[in-house]
């Protein structure tokens, strides 16, 4: 990445033209993706961890939860993918926090580029990594006996839905990354927030098996709606309600956290 790659004409008001800002955003996204070459452990996080989740949930819990690993895989794989995607949005928070503490944004601030380009570029790159992990888990599931009975169209719509939801949640990750003191605090906060939300949903168990008071929460839990929608699109079935609620939740999360994240970002840079 060079200064000439990022710089662009600036208007009299000091604003970068929209097309130039878009090019700069994709340049920053490419910077984040290329960085994997120099930090292979990041690719391990997006590859080994998803594989581990699929094997552990299928073969450790499958017999107890559904009578056989094959039966449980059919139910749980969509939920495992949803959980993994939500956990990985916190990588965005940790990466941004690291860039802040190492002064990366201070150097970028001296360039005549759109101020939002580094931020949106990071989110765009991380969404590509989410897609990689999702496809990897789907491929592993197919190898283990999972079948997409909802057709290729259902698979595409389900994948798009998960990516849209991940993009919305990424703005909450941005806010956490901006406010946390260091990467360790980001990780601790993410774990205490996402872990209970995912495990009190329909991602891994049927909601009807929960106590009544917990069912009330699970029924409105956004992870439940997303897991049910993704499962329904992959396997076929009625999905209109969970898809609608997933989109409502995604829009609500974005509406709340986008302005808060951008305000915190501008305060930092």
């Amino acid at each position: 990445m060079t200064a000439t790659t990022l710089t662009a004409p600036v208007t009299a008001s000091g604003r970068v033209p929209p097309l130039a800002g878009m090019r700069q955003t994709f340049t920053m996204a490419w910077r984040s993706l290329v960085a994997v070459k120099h930090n292979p452990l990041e690719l391990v996080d997006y590859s080994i961890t998803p594989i581990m989740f699929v094997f552990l949930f299928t073969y450790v819990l499958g017999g107890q939860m559904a009578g056989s690993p094959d039966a449980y895989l059919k139910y749980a794989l969509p939920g495992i993918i949803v959980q993994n995607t939500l956990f990985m949005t916190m990588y965005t928070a940790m990466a941004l926090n690291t860039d802040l503490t190492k002064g990366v944004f201070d150097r970028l601030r001296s360039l005549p580029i759109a101020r939002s380009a580094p931020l949106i570029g990071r989110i765009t790159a991380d969404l590509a990594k989410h897609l990689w992990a999702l496809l990897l888990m789907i491929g592993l599931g197919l190898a283990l006996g999972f079948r997409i009975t909802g057709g290729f169209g259902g698979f595409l719509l389900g994948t798009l839905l998960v990516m849209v939801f991940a993009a919305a949640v990424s703005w909450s990750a941005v806010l956490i990354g901006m406010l946390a003191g260091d990467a360790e605090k980001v990780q601790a906060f993410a774990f205490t927030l996402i872990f209970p939300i995912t495990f009190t949903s329909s991602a891994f168990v049927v909601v009807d098996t929960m106590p009544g008071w917990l069912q009330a929460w699970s029924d409105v839990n956004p992870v439940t709606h997303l897991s049910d929608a993704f499962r329904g699109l992959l396997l076929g079935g009625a999905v209109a309600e969970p898809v609608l609620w997933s989109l409502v939740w995604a829009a609500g999360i974005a509406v709340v956290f986008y302005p808060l994240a951008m305000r915190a970002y501008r305060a930092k840079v």
Side-chain angles (χ1 to χ4, degrees):
M1 181 184 68
T2 64
T4 55
T5 304
L6 286 173
T7 56
V10 180
T11 63
S13 63
R15 293 182 177 274
V16 175
L19 288 179
M22 186 177 300
R23 287 196 300 269
Q24 294 159 4
T25 296
F26 282 112
T27 298
M28 296 304 301
W30 181 246
R31 164 191 175 264
S32 297
L33 291 174
V34 171
V36 173
K37 180 174 64 175
H38 305 289
N39 183 21
L41 288 178
E42 185 175 353
L43 187 60
V44 170
D45 288 337
Y46 283 92
S47 302
I48 302 301
T49 301
I51 291 173
M52 180 182 66
F53 274 139
V54 173
F55 274 113
L56 287 178
F57 277 95
T58 300
Y59 292 106
V60 175
L61 300 179
Q64 175 69 33
M65 302 297 292
S68 72
D70 290 343
Y72 189 59
L73 179 67
K74 182 177 180 179
Y75 178 85
L77 182 62
I80 297 171
I81 293 173
V82 167
Q83 183 212 40
N84 184 73
T85 301
L86 294 179
F87 267 114
M88 285 186 171
T89 59
M90 291 302 111
Y91 290 174
T92 301
M94 289 187 284
L96 289 173
N97 185 271
T98 299
D99 283 348
L100 280 172
T101 55
K102 289 186 175 181
V104 173
F105 283 106
D106 291 335
R107 294 193 293 271
L108 293 173
R109 183 169 50 189
S110 65
L111 297 175
I113 64 173
R115 294 185 68 185
S116 61
L119 181 59
I120 300 178
R122 164 62 67 174
I123 293 176
T124 302
D126 287 347
L127 287 176
K129 298 171 187 176
H130 296 329
L131 180 59
W132 159 258
L134 184 151
L135 295 176
L136 183 65
M137 297 174 82
I138 286 289
L140 178 59
L142 292 174
L144 296 177
F146 184 85
R147 294 294 177 263
I148 302 176
T149 53
F152 187 66
F155 165 71
L156 289 180
L157 289 175
T159 299
L160 178 61
L161 180 64
V162 173
M163 291 298 102
V164 167
F165 201 92
V169 174
S170 292
W171 289 108
S172 67
V174 170
L175 181 62
I176 294 171
M178 292 294 142
L179 298 181
D182 52 54
E184 288 75 16
K185 291 180 181 178
V186 171
Q187 190 172 15
F189 186 84
F191 184 82
T192 56
L193 176 66
I194 295 179
F195 190 85
I197 290 178
T198 55
F199 277 91
T200 56
S201 71
S202 66
F204 309 116
V205 299
V206 177
V207 173
D208 293 343
T209 63
M210 299 179 182
W213 59 270
L214 191 55
Q215 289 184 36
W217 155 247
S218 184
D219 286 339
V220 298
N221 187 336
V223 181
T224 291
H225 298 305
L226 183 59
S227 297
D228 289 348
F230 192 36
R231 186 180 295 114
L233 288 167
L234 290 180
L235 301 178
V239 295
E241 184 175 351
V243 167
L244 176 61
W245 277 112
S246 297
L247 293 174
V248 168
W249 270 106
I253 292 169
V255 166
V256 171
F257 285 101
Y258 173 78
L260 294 175
M262 291 303 296
R263 180 181 299 178
Y265 172 68
R266 293 190 180 102
K268 290 286 187 180
V269 302

